[in-house]
Amino acid sequence: MVFTSNNKKAIIASGTEIPVPVNTLTNATATTTGVAAVASNIEFKKVALQLEVVPLINSDKEVSLDILQKIDSLAGSTTIDGNQIPNIATRYIRTNVSAANGATIVLGGLIQDSKTRNTSGIPILDRIPYIGALFRNTTNNKMRTELIILMRPEVTLTKLDLYRLRQKSEDRTHFGPEIDQDDCPDCPKTSDGKQLPPPDLPPPDLPSVKDVVKGSK
């Protein structure tokens, strides 16, 4: 869950950073070891799954979402001047959708197919024509992945709405956005700690006056 303001960008990202040599300086002067000194400047590139959302709320609590969904992955490497430069493959979806408050949006379409073939066997014997297949094992793997993201925008116009959203998030995760009780006089007062106080339970059913009179007779 991520919170943001109207017309402000929210970002969720998960990934890593890989080192990429930007430029290389080689000292051609002769050294005692006979090997030239090489110095490289390294720059870190992000390889991540990232989701960017910019919400725009109208008067009817309908939300227009500008969504960018991007996936980075390593796709081998290229040798340039003796340096192995990793290739970064990027796939993304850019769209704008409108949804009612509390409606669910489904984003999909980022599909990746990969095929691998592994061969193992007895050396020399697996290369004999015609009968070599008897001494080797070939495995073909095919994998298909698709990224699907579910989004549900919820609009909070008042501190009380934010309190109720916080209460729902705490029921699921025991965490929620901090709310200053002084800024929200309509919000129920909380006890010490993160947990919300138990709800007020109705009093137990009491016998009516007529039942009491009948019982006394």
Side-chain angles (χ1 to χ4, degrees):
M1 178 180 292
V2 62
F3 290 83
T4 186
S5 301
N6 186 29
N7 205 24
K8 298 295 183 180
K9 181 185 294 187
I11 299 176
I12 300 178
S14 176
T16 185
E17 293 185 349
I18 60 174
V20 177
V22 179
N23 54 61
T24 303
L25 178 62
T26 304
N27 187 1
T29 306
T31 60
T32 56
T33 59
V35 179
V38 179
S40 298
N41 292 333
I42 301 298
E43 182 177 306
F44 286 87
K45 297 288 187 180
K46 292 183 179 180
V47 179
L49 167 62
Q50 184 167 317
L51 179 66
E52 298 181 4
V53 180
V54 180
L56 184 61
I57 305 171
N58 61 21
S59 58
D60 297 328
K61 282 192 175 183
E62 187 179 76
V63 185
S64 296
L65 300 173
D66 185 11
I67 303 172
L68 173 62
Q69 177 184 344
K70 185 173 65 173
I71 302 177
D72 296 332
S73 60
L74 294 178
S77 60
T78 303
T79 303
I80 301 178
D81 295 334
N83 295 321
Q84 293 290 331
I85 309 298
N87 300 327
I88 301 176
T90 301
R91 296 173 293 151
Y92 70 92
I93 293 176
R94 185 70 179 263
T95 184
N96 190 288
V97 297
S98 297
N101 182 28
T104 301
I105 302 171
V106 181
L107 296 179
L110 292 179
I111 303 173
Q112 182 179 12
D113 292 325
S114 61
K115 298 179 181 179
T116 58
R117 183 174 182 177
N118 299 321
T119 302
S120 62
I122 301 175
I124 301 176
L125 295 180
D126 61 350
R127 299 182 182 179
I128 299 177
Y130 302 108
I131 63 173
L134 300 175
F135 302 97
R136 66 174 179 263
N137 181 32
T138 302
T139 304
N140 295 319
N141 296 322
K142 182 179 180 180
M143 183 173 60
R144 179 185 176 92
T145 59
E146 180 177 3
L147 177 63
I148 297 177
I149 294 181
L150 304 179
M151 301 177 59
R152 187 178 65 181
E154 295 192 26
V155 179
T156 57
L157 300 179
T158 63
K159 290 288 184 177
L160 183 58
D161 292 339
L162 184 58
Y163 174 85
R164 291 170 178 169
L165 182 59
R166 172 196 175 188
Q167 189 175 25
K168 289 199 304 183
S169 65
E170 283 193 347
D171 291 341
R172 294 193 298 266
T173 63
H174 302 289
F175 291 96
E178 295 294 341
I179 300 178
D180 190 353
Q181 294 294 333
D182 296 336
D183 295 339
C184 183
D186 296 331
C187 297
K189 299 301 180 181
T190 59
S191 58
D192 295 337
K194 290 288 294 181
Q195 296 297 327
L196 295 174
D200 295 333
L201 299 177
D205 295 335
L206 298 177
S208 62
V209 178
K210 295 181 179 179
D211 294 337
V212 175
V213 172
K214 290 181 181 180
S216 61
K217 292 180 180 180

